[in-house]
Amino acid sequence: MKERMNSLWTLFQERKLSRRTFVKSCVALTAVLGLPPTMLDTVVKAAETKELPTVVWLHGHECTGCDESFIRSTSPFASDVILNMIALEYDDTLAAASGEPLEHHLKEIVANKSGKYILAVEGGVPLDENGVYCSVGGRPFVEVLKECAAGASAIIEYGSCAAWGGIQAAKPNPTNTVSVSSVVSGVPIIKVPGCPPIPEVMTGVIMHYALFGEIPPLDIQGRPKQFYGNRIHDTCYRRAFFDSGLFVEKFDDDASKAGWCLYKVGCRGPETYNSCGNLRWWNGLSYPIQSGHGCIGCSEKDFWDNDNFYKRLPDIPMANTITNADTVGTIAGFAATGAVVAHGALTLAKNKYEDLKEEKRLKEAGLWNETMNKNNHHDGGND
Ligand code: FSX
Ligand code: SF4
Ligand code: F3S
């Protein structure tokens, strides 16, 4: 594989690509990184001056779906990331080389580039029987992982297996599989969960590090905020149906065909943090909910131990506080049969929701006082 490269701009120049093409690429990168357009200058500057990073990519206990996802990234194309924007020195599933020469190369990189490479890891880490349940190059994966982690400048846990343990850690977890961060520490660790993660999130995280030389801002669980700051429920295009109490009761009913909310058939969108609602999959084509199936929470810890993916989550509050999914469902049922009173009830629910949102906004801005409570809340049912 290649020697370490210079900056992204140097690469463009070497390939005789125009400045215009370079800036256009930076615009695309700014969007992928979840940065506002005002940050374009910063991205251009970083792309001109930052050394592109060396990456070592390991696979543990997993299905390789994360690699499959990564190579389908369209913005930027994974091929661009691999060939142009990083020096991918080791990846046992994507490398052309294999066997002893490849393992020897890994040893050299770890020895010669200590402190200067990013370690990307897919898969959980089985610990029982000295880790023998997952071996790479004839050695337990846990050993390889610890060696590579010792010289890494940062570690990216790609996928729910690396981040949380994954399917193989499902009860009773016969191999005692754990997350990567359960066995290594001492360097910044970024969790990029999802089974698998969204391709553009995978490339976005690595490009953030490539351009800025630091890990992106993380939430309390160690996930990049720009991609895991919202629940699926917050950006779901079916949310208006949830708020109006219009639910699918079972798959293939008329509500399902009409595309109503999947909450009652088990959707985990209200407690799952990921970017599927914004970015979607296959170059923005679709995501599970758009395909008619509820979110199973694949980016959340222990999602694999949910006893039943089709059982409704308990007690998710409706947007308004005067009702719950059952009673709103009843109101919606009346609405469907044309009962006039339902319109008033739904309007009241909507008004209450708007009021509470406004109250929250004013409180956050420090502009709220209790006299507003009386004035702000609607007390009637009709508009
Ligand atoms: Fe796990 Fe990734 Fe799920 Fe599979 O590498 S996150 S089982 S899609 O492949 O680790
Ligand atoms: Fe969308 Fe699921 Fe929330 Fe319904 S419960 S709005 S389908 S995320
Ligand atoms: Fe996973 Fe839910 Fe997205 S199941 S792919 S987090 S919609």
Side-chain angles (χ1 to χ4, degrees):
M1 292 189 196
K2 296 181 182 184
E3 258 313 299
R4 189 183 177 97
M5 294 172 279
N6 294 319
S7 74
L8 194 56
W9 174 225
T10 318
L11 281 170
F12 271 66
Q13 288 173 302
E14 279 171 6
R15 286 165 177 71
K16 311 260 183 281
L17 294 168
S18 70
R19 178 76 182 169
R20 185 184 173 83
T21 311
F22 169 71
V23 173
K24 272 169 77 179
S25 299
C26 289
V27 171
L29 269 176
T30 307
V32 170
L33 298 177
L35 299 171
T38 49
M39 290 288 286
L40 178 60
D41 277 357
T42 314
V43 171
V44 171
K45 187 117 204 102
E48 283 171 340
T49 55
K50 288 285 176 195
E51 280 263 314
L52 294 169
T54 298
V55 177
V56 169
W57 197 304
L58 300 180
H59 295 82
H61 231 186
E62 41 101 26
C63 78
T64 314
C66 300
D67 252 4
E68 291 286 344
S69 177
F70 177 74
I71 59 177
R72 281 162 183 78
S73 173
T74 51
S75 53
F77 273 106
S79 53
D80 278 346
V81 175
I82 294 171
L83 299 173
N84 298 332
M85 300 176 180
I86 61 174
L88 183 59
E89 292 288 354
Y90 178 92
D91 182 326
D92 41 2
T93 61
L94 295 180
S98 63
E100 180 51 34
L102 185 65
E103 297 310 314
H104 180 70
H105 185 64
L106 174 62
K107 283 198 178 84
E108 279 187 348
I109 293 293
V110 169
N112 300 335
K113 298 219 170 189
S114 184
K116 292 186 184 146
Y117 61 86
I118 300 174
L119 180 62
V121 189
E122 292 177 37
V125 193
L127 297 179
D128 266 7
E129 310 285 347
N130 298 318
V132 76
Y133 293 111
C134 179
S135 294
V136 181
R139 293 196 298 151
F141 174 63
V142 62
E143 253 178 46
V144 181
L145 173 66
K146 282 180 176 168
E147 269 173 31
C148 294
S153 56
I155 298 174
I156 307 177
E157 294 177 321
Y158 275 136
S160 291
C161 300
W164 315 122
I167 308 289
Q168 46 285 320
K171 289 175 189 157
N173 194 355
T175 58
N176 188 21
T177 292
V178 298
S179 68
V180 169
S181 46
S182 303
V183 289
V184 298
S185 57
V187 284
I189 298 181
I190 311 162
K191 285 189 188 296
V192 185
C195 190
I198 298 171
E200 287 74 20
V201 171
M202 298 180 78
T203 49
V205 169
I206 212 158
M207 286 318 299
H208 184 108
Y209 193 91
L211 289 179
F212 300 115
E214 59 184 30
I215 64 172
L218 305 179
D219 68 12
I220 197 162
Q221 296 205 48
R223 304 170 294 195
K225 283 183 185 166
Q226 74 256 49
F227 298 119
Y228 295 89
N230 289 309
R231 298 174 304 167
I232 299 295
H233 192 56
D234 298 325
T235 53
C236 181
Y237 76 104
R238 296 193 190 213
R239 178 61 181 268
F241 294 107
F242 179 92
D243 290 345
S244 302
L246 300 172
F247 297 106
V248 172
E249 299 287 340
K250 59 183 181 14
F251 290 109
D252 276 344
D253 66 7
D254 287 343
S256 158
K257 287 171 190 153
W260 290 5
C261 171
L262 297 161
Y263 166 61
K264 285 192 176 179
V265 287
C267 181
R268 258 122 185 114
E271 60 174 28
T272 301
Y273 288 79
N274 207 343
S275 288
C276 307
N278 307 331
L279 296 176
R280 310 200 181 183
W281 291 75
W282 303 105
N283 198 16
L285 180 67
S286 187
Y287 70 119
I289 290 168
Q290 197 172 341
S291 307
H293 195 285
C295 167
I296 63 169
C298 78
S299 52
E300 291 296 318
K301 190 166 188 296
D302 297 342
F303 83 90
W304 48 85
D305 280 332
N306 285 328
D307 58 344
N308 182 346
F309 287 134
Y310 301 100
K311 199 164 124 192
R312 168 184 148 181
L313 285 176
D315 300 328
I316 296 299
M318 296 292 292
N320 54 79
T321 54
I322 60 167
T323 187
N324 61 38
D326 293 315
T327 53
V328 171
T330 307
I331 293 167
F334 280 128
T337 59
V340 178
V341 67
H343 172 68
L346 281 172
T347 304
L348 174 62
K350 187 166 161 268
N351 286 342
K352 287 272 183 200
Y353 175 47
E354 291 304 329
D355 288 343
L356 288 166
K357 257 189 11 190
E358 177 65 359
E359 182 179 327
K360 184 164 178 279
R361 192 185 68 75
L362 289 169
K363 277 180 176 161
E364 281 168 358
L367 299 172
W368 177 259
N369 69 54
E370 278 314 314
T371 57
M372 290 175 175
N373 209 355
K374 205 158 44 125
N375 301 334
N376 190 43
H377 284 179
H378 292 265
D379 55 7
N382 296 313
D383 57 3

